[in-house]
Amino acid sequence: MKISYNWLKQFIKTDWNAEKTGELLTDLGLEIEGIETYESVKGGLKGIVVGEVLTCEQHPNADRLKVTTVNIGADAPLQIVCGAPNVAAGQKVPVATIGTTLYTAEGEAWTIKKGKIRGEESHGMICAEDELGLGESHEGIMVLDADIAVGTLAADLFEVENDEVFEIGLTPNRADAMSHYGVARDLKAGLLQKEISLELITPSVSSYHVDARAFKVDVDVKDYEKAPRYCGVTISGITVEASPAWLQHRLKSIGLSPVNNIVDITNYVLHELGQPLHAFDGDRISGSKIEVKTCEAGTKFTTLDGVERELHEEDLMICDDRRPMCIAGVFGGLDSGVTEHTSRIFLESAYFNPVSVRKTAKRHGLNTDSSFRFERGIDPNLTEYALKRAALLILEIAGGEITSDILDTYPKKIRDFEVRLSFDHAQKLIGERIPEETIKSILSSLDIKINNVTEAGLGLTVPAFRNDVQREADIIEEILRVYGYNNIATTKKLNASISNSSRFEDYKLQNIIGNQLASQGFFEIMANSLTTPKYVELSEDLNEAHNIKMLNPLSNDLEVMRQSLLFSGLEAVAHNINRKRDDLKLFEFGKTYHQFSEAREEHKHLSIFVTGNKTEERWNTAASPSDFFYLKGTIETILERLGLTRLKAAPTNAAVLSEGLTLSIGKTKLVTFGLVKKSILKHFGISQNVLFADFNWDNVLDMAKHNKVKFTPISKYPSIRRDFALLLDQNVSFQDIDTIAKQTEKQLLKSVNLFDVYEGKNLPEGKKSYAVSFIFQDERKTLNDKQIDKIMSKLQSNFENKLGAELR
């Protein structure tokens, strides 16, 4: 939000510089993110003075140039070469002196320097209006009034507006500070704590009166819940034209483009007082009647931006007796706005329900200055005052007369908030005792009324415009921010207690696994838990009935809570691939959300995504694509790090995977992983394979907590390795070999490893060759060949009988 310092000082006459004021506003909770300089004329006409042309002679070496001498009030006149056809002796002209910076129409800067033009020295420049930024004409130099004194600064002559503009990072709760008046109110309270007492000046509306009751517009509010207060008045005989310079400067300084005097005044009052206004062309109001109501769903309405929109049945509209004219509190209509032909208007000032305005603005994708304020809650007691303020400005600038009484429909007044403040509670939360008189002074400066005072505390009435201050804690926060957080002393002693937490706490195991994955080249992602409901259509495992829907979604793509981490992860994969990042290793800790008939449930997951090459391309290493077994190895290292080793693998039935496995311990599923289906990848525009693993983190945590770790000393005796080359059927897996081997020898067999796979020539059809190693070790003695041969013989026999294996 932009706040003009010159405008702010119309409310509070401070002589502080902008930097110092900005520091105080930041301390008050209105964080100043930056201070910009505004100049109504680029460069501020610095270095431009009024000069008098003393002589004007033909240039000896150029037909179109003149050599002039110009008095600018210095010790000696300047010689200036000028090419303007209208330059003549005796003229008063604007002169850019040496060192002055001028700007082109495109904003490029250039500096006036001493030089020679066709052999004649030139010590400045006599300027045209476009060269100064005062107009567009370049037909000749500007000729000024002969009565202007030589040496007068052009900045004073043309009333250049120089301003400093605060960029305030306004938090959503500070609806009261969405105007220059609101910021000035806070600034007054802050200055008072520094023992600087300044009056808060508000524009007077005492001269407001009805001139003639000649044009009445009836108002019928049909939905008081959405429009608790609605005011309006008619003004006739106006002239719509460009706004005066001062008004245009005010709007331009905060980034608004002037439109015409009527629209500019409504914008001015909005940013001055925080009350949105809207002006309707009085001759376009059919039946001279305003109805504030909702319309049928699907009703067509064209807004000021020329876009035809379909209305929702809950959109509050301002209508005449035939059609809608304006989306209440959001955006005006194309057919009812003020034009250069408008001669009378109906001026609206209202308080609309914040929730209703926000829903409507979001539905139509509109974000206007009016909706910004209505959504956060404006002051319902400012409605009539702001209307009078705008009406008086219109009479002053656009002429005309007020031709009706103010119509004010306000059947149920919005009440102020009653709050009780305890001094002891304030001391407890703040950390020290602030004098009671200081507390009362701060609250009074914030327009919080003190109803009664006791030894224990205060009875307070908080004005309705402070809709964020409704509890005792809110009152204490108000006291503290004005008193100054920096004024609260910090203790020299810090007390802290150490909690006794399990090493299996979720965050600890997440850190362990996260660090492990990061060391393996993975990057952590954090996706939004809100997603589109259309993703459930991509998987038979998901059910639309299980979606948890948002009551007030930010958009259609963020309408439900996610049921799977797969799709948000694929969004990240697609985003990176589209930016030439094809080799990806990503992981995310997150939750899924499900609506079941009994209750809602949340489940914690760890998801892993692998695509492209395993390592970066290097001169001494061939590119190696990521494959299923790379992902499987990564998963096993995670489970091993948590002490989960007795895993059972089974083919997965996950609908999102074309092939994959599920690893379990007993009947508890820990992780499902495999290759994502091409049809799903196509939906995200991904053409390369993507491997995906989905850990049920809740189950992993539970198994890790109950896993008992046994420690045994390192054996003193050597291990022995023996190998088999087995000819097997294609459908036999290494898992089958590993299981049979460990069932055959449970004591001495320590590990089984597959170190070579061969499929191809010289093998029978439907066969493959596995080279398998077996490690044996006895914890009590050294093994001999006789024992090992006996075990290998049993292994061979079992492989032959159970798997149909043959030794090669």
Side-chain angles (χ1 to χ4, degrees):
M1 184 183 73
K2 294 184 182 294
I3 293 292
S4 157
Y5 197 29
N6 287 348
W7 198 344
L8 189 66
K9 287 191 284 189
Q10 288 184 321
F11 289 98
I12 186 164
K13 303 293 185 182
T14 176
D15 56 0
W16 281 16
N17 61 39
E19 288 75 15
K20 190 174 180 181
T21 301
E23 290 175 3
L24 179 56
L25 289 174
T26 298
D27 290 342
L28 289 166
L30 304 178
E31 182 179 0
I32 303 300
E33 297 178 341
I35 302 177
E36 300 174 354
T37 299
Y38 168 79
E39 296 169 327
S40 59
V41 177
K42 185 75 171 178
L45 298 182
K46 294 175 183 176
I48 311 295
V49 298
V50 174
E52 181 179 8
V53 181
L54 302 178
T55 64
C56 180
E57 300 177 356
Q58 184 66 43
H59 193 292
N61 301 317
D63 294 339
R64 297 185 178 182
L65 298 179
K66 303 287 179 62
V67 179
T68 66
T69 56
V70 182
N71 175 23
I72 63 169
D75 295 336
L78 303 177
Q79 178 172 298
I80 299 176
V81 176
C82 179
N86 64 328
V87 64
Q91 292 174 335
K92 296 287 180 70
V93 293
V95 178
T97 57
I98 300 298
T100 297
T101 298
L102 298 178
Y103 297 86
T104 65
E106 292 75 25
E108 297 180 5
W110 57 288
T111 303
I112 302 296
K113 299 178 181 178
K114 176 184 176 182
K116 285 188 176 182
I117 301 177
R118 303 292 291 269
E120 296 292 329
E121 289 189 355
S122 184
H123 298 269
M125 176 179 171
I126 303 175
C127 301
E129 66 177 36
D130 68 327
E131 292 165 334
L132 298 177
L134 296 173
E136 298 180 358
S137 174
H138 194 70
E139 296 178 356
I141 60 169
M142 290 185 70
V143 179
L144 306 176
D145 194 321
D147 296 333
I148 301 173
V150 169
T152 300
L153 297 178
D156 296 335
L157 180 64
F158 294 104
E159 298 181 353
V160 174
E161 176 87 3
N162 294 307
D163 199 356
E164 290 167 295
V165 181
F166 299 116
E167 181 67 45
I168 297 181
L170 194 68
T171 52
N173 64 306
R174 291 304 309 277
D176 62 297
M178 295 187 296
S179 64
H180 287 75
Y181 174 64
V183 173
R185 182 169 47 211
D186 255 24
L187 181 59
K188 175 181 180 295
L191 289 171
L192 191 62
Q193 291 309 300
K194 297 185 179 296
E195 299 182 352
I196 301 174
S197 179
L198 294 177
E199 180 187 0
L200 185 61
I201 303 169
T202 55
S204 173
V205 294
S206 59
S207 62
Y208 178 89
H209 65 278
V210 178
D211 297 299
R213 294 174 176 83
F215 175 41
K216 182 182 179 183
V217 174
D218 294 323
V219 173
D220 182 10
V221 178
K222 296 184 179 297
D223 193 334
Y224 286 113
E225 183 179 350
K226 290 184 173 65
R229 187 175 190 184
Y230 191 89
C231 296
V233 70
T234 64
I235 304 174
S236 303
I238 62 171
T239 302
V240 179
E241 57 188 6
S243 298
W246 70 266
L247 179 53
Q248 293 195 36
H249 292 329
R250 286 285 178 264
L251 298 179
K252 287 179 180 178
S253 69
I254 59 173
L256 298 181
S257 299
V259 179
N260 57 53
N261 50 6
I262 304 301
V263 174
D264 292 350
I265 288 169
T266 61
N267 285 331
Y268 179 84
V269 174
L270 179 148
H271 289 276
E272 179 186 51
L273 302 176
Q275 171 66 53
L277 304 166
H278 191 76
F280 298 91
D281 188 322
D283 293 323
R284 295 186 178 188
I285 302 175
S286 175
S288 296
K289 184 176 182 180
I290 293 288
E291 293 184 356
V292 184
K293 63 181 183 179
T294 56
C295 298
E296 292 183 4
T299 300
K300 305 292 185 181
F301 178 68
T302 304
T303 46
L304 278 171
D305 55 2
V307 177
E308 185 179 74
R309 305 175 189 275
E310 283 193 10
L311 299 180
H312 189 272
E313 64 268 17
E314 293 186 2
D315 292 337
L316 186 67
M317 303 297 296
I318 311 301
C319 309
D320 59 18
D321 67 356
R322 292 192 303 108
R323 71 198 192 288
M325 299 189 297
C326 175
I327 303 177
V330 181
F331 212 20
L334 187 64
D335 299 326
S336 62
V338 173
T339 69
E340 65 272 17
H341 305 296
T342 300
S343 61
R344 57 182 184 174
I345 62 171
F346 175 79
L347 186 62
E348 166 196 281
S349 178
Y351 177 90
F352 296 119
N353 182 283
V355 175
S356 172
V357 172
R358 184 176 186 275
K359 287 183 177 180
T360 296
K362 293 298 179 184
R363 270 194 292 266
H364 296 289
L366 294 170
N367 183 21
T368 62
D369 285 336
S370 292
S371 67
F372 177 82
R373 285 158 178 79
F374 278 125
E375 287 173 17
R376 286 155 180 79
I378 62 171
D379 184 359
N381 298 317
L382 197 65
T383 307
E384 183 180 358
Y385 171 75
L387 184 67
K388 291 180 177 179
R389 167 66 170 158
L392 290 175
L393 283 173
I394 290 172
L395 298 185
E396 176 187 338
I397 295 171
E401 57 182 8
I402 296 173
T403 51
S404 76
D405 293 316
I406 290 178
L407 301 168
D408 185 1
T409 56
Y410 194 18
K412 186 177 180 181
K413 186 175 181 181
I414 297 174
R415 300 295 178 185
D416 295 336
F417 311 109
E418 303 292 333
V419 182
R420 181 75 187 174
L421 172 67
S422 165
F423 293 134
D424 289 339
H425 288 170
Q427 180 182 357
K428 182 179 179 181
L429 286 181
I430 293 172
E432 68 178 55
R433 195 168 194 88
I434 296 176
E436 295 176 9
E437 291 303 317
T438 302
I439 290 176
K440 289 189 282 186
S441 173
I442 290 172
L443 295 176
S444 296
S445 68
L446 294 173
D447 291 344
I448 296 175
K449 183 180 178 182
I450 301 173
N451 297 322
N452 56 74
V453 182
T454 66
E455 293 183 359
L458 303 173
L460 305 171
T461 299
V462 181
F465 67 81
R466 289 310 307 269
N467 52 33
D468 61 317
V469 182
Q470 301 185 23
R471 306 170 301 163
E472 183 183 44
D474 300 328
I475 293 290
I476 295 171
E477 182 183 2
E478 290 297 293
I479 295 168
L480 186 53
R481 74 176 180 86
V482 176
Y483 182 76
Y485 291 97
N486 295 332
N487 294 326
I488 303 299
T490 56
T491 59
K492 296 180 180 180
K493 181 181 179 181
L494 179 63
N495 296 323
S497 58
I498 300 175
S499 61
N500 180 22
S501 62
S502 168
R503 63 190 180 94
F504 296 107
E505 290 288 341
D506 186 3
Y507 74 93
K508 291 183 179 180
L509 295 187
Q510 281 193 47
N511 287 338
I512 290 171
I513 300 306
N515 289 334
Q516 177 174 313
L517 287 170
S519 68
Q520 293 177 262
F522 284 78
F523 290 90
E524 184 173 9
I525 61 175
M526 288 182 285
N528 197 335
S529 294
L530 297 174
T531 188
T532 172
K534 296 180 181 178
Y535 283 156
V536 299
E537 301 171 5
L538 300 179
S539 172
E540 296 174 2
D541 293 339
L542 303 180
N543 191 329
E544 185 178 359
H546 296 163
N547 276 335
I548 297 178
K549 298 181 179 180
M550 296 295 100
L551 294 176
N552 188 20
L554 296 173
S555 69
N556 292 334
D557 290 335
L558 299 172
E559 193 173 347
V560 300
M561 306 290 283
R562 62 183 176 183
Q563 291 190 49
S564 171
L565 270 61
L566 171 63
F567 306 113
S568 55
L570 289 178
E571 288 175 353
V573 170
H575 182 86
N576 280 273
I577 290 175
N578 291 338
R579 286 153 183 80
K580 305 302 181 183
R581 293 292 301 272
D582 299 329
D583 305 328
L584 300 170
K585 292 187 286 187
L586 310 173
F587 72 96
E588 178 186 8
F589 287 99
K591 290 184 177 181
T592 59
Y593 307 85
H594 312 269
Q595 175 72 64
F596 298 118
S597 57
E598 301 81 13
R600 291 175 178 172
E601 293 184 10
E602 295 181 12
H603 301 295
K604 192 72 171 284
H605 293 261
L606 164 62
S607 62
I608 294 178
F609 298 85
V610 177
T611 186
N613 292 324
K614 288 184 281 191
T615 57
E616 293 182 4
E617 187 178 8
R618 298 183 184 276
W619 67 273
N620 61 347
T621 305
S624 176
S626 303
D627 55 23
F628 178 85
F629 298 100
Y630 172 72
L631 177 62
K632 184 172 183 288
T634 301
I635 292 168
E636 288 177 344
T637 59
I638 292 172
L639 297 175
E640 286 176 7
R641 180 65 181 85
L642 299 174
L644 305 177
T645 55
R646 295 173 296 172
L647 302 171
K648 182 177 69 175
T652 182
N653 57 0
V656 295
L657 303 178
S658 58
E659 55 183 274
L661 292 176
T662 296
L663 298 183
S664 308
I665 294 180
K667 295 183 179 181
T668 304
K669 294 182 179 180
L670 299 183
V671 56
T672 297
F673 63 98
L675 192 65
V676 181
K677 283 184 176 178
K678 297 285 186 183
S679 59
I680 295 177
L681 297 180
K682 184 179 180 181
H683 180 85
F684 292 89
I686 300 172
S687 58
Q688 62 193 55
N689 288 337
V690 177
L691 294 158
F692 169 64
D694 182 19
F695 287 81
N696 187 319
W697 191 249
D698 294 324
N699 288 347
V700 171
L701 286 177
D702 186 60
M703 297 305 296
K705 291 176 182 177
H706 294 92
N707 184 54
K708 294 182 180 180
V709 179
K710 294 181 180 180
F711 296 90
T712 57
I714 297 174
S715 178
K716 300 176 182 179
Y717 304 100
S719 61
I720 295 176
R721 168 175 167 164
R722 293 290 175 87
D723 299 341
F724 270 161
L726 300 172
L727 187 65
L728 301 160
D729 291 336
Q730 285 284 359
N731 61 352
V732 176
S733 68
F734 171 71
Q735 182 71 34
D736 298 329
I737 297 172
D738 182 73
T739 301
I740 292 172
K742 290 177 179 177
Q743 289 174 348
T744 303
E745 179 51 56
K746 297 181 180 179
Q747 294 183 351
L748 300 181
L749 181 60
K750 300 302 180 183
S751 67
V752 183
N753 181 49
L754 177 66
F755 64 90
D756 186 51
V757 176
Y758 176 71
E759 296 174 320
K761 293 181 180 180
N762 303 322
L763 290 182
E765 187 177 350
K767 297 288 186 178
K768 60 184 176 182
S769 176
Y770 276 5
V772 185
S773 66
F774 304 89
I775 304 297
F776 302 96
Q777 189 177 44
D778 193 328
E779 308 294 338
R780 298 166 296 175
K781 62 183 179 180
T782 301
L783 292 170
N784 55 49
D785 289 342
K786 185 177 180 180
Q787 290 174 290
I788 299 303
D789 290 342
K790 184 178 179 181
I791 296 172
M792 293 301 291
S793 178
K794 286 183 180 180
L795 289 173
Q796 180 182 347
S797 176
N798 284 339
F799 291 151
E800 290 173 349
N801 295 331
K802 297 182 179 181
L803 301 178
E806 299 178 28
L807 286 184
R808 293 188 66 199

